[in-house]
Amino acid sequence: MSDCSTSTDIGVNCIGAGIRVQVYAYLVDYFMADVELDEATLLVDDLGADSLDLLHVVQAFNDMFCIDIDADLLPRMLTVGGVCEVVELKLQCRSIH
């Protein structure tokens, strides 16, 4: 488990484009993608993700950014763009509280 004080500083300072860079970099590394990712890249169809991969990705971003992605948001995370949007949403919600 990551240290939230470190991850929080990283997450808050990188809202926007920086978050997307971190998300893209993680997904390329995790899926060993040999294609260029874009917002419409599908995790399952294009990157070969299965349900266990999706849960691993969610947990990794929870730890990386000290957020808690709820199960009801999983259907929005089927594309790279969707993953970015959910992470950004959770970071914005966290900064409000």
Side-chain angles (χ1 to χ4, degrees), residues 9-87:
D9 293 341
I10 292 169
V12 170
N13 291 331
C14 298
I15 297 234
I19 294 296
R20 290 180 182 265
V21 168
Q22 291 178 62
V23 168
Y24 274 61
Y26 178 82
L27 293 174
V28 165
D29 184 56
Y30 180 79
F31 290 107
M32 295 181 276
D34 57 357
V35 296
E36 188 170 330
L37 302 185
D38 62 29
E39 297 286 308
T41 301
L42 297 166
L43 299 186
V44 174
D45 294 337
D46 298 330
L47 299 178
D50 60 23
S51 58
L52 187 58
D53 289 321
L54 296 177
L55 292 174
H56 187 272
V57 165
V58 166
Q59 187 59 50
F61 290 130
N62 282 342
D63 292 344
M64 186 183 302
F65 297 107
C66 280
I67 58 177
D68 186 22
I69 297 171
D70 306 316
D72 61 329
L73 293 174
L74 293 177
R76 293 176 57 182
M77 299 180 70
L78 300 179
T79 64
V80 171
V83 172
C84 292
E85 289 171 12
V86 168
V87 169

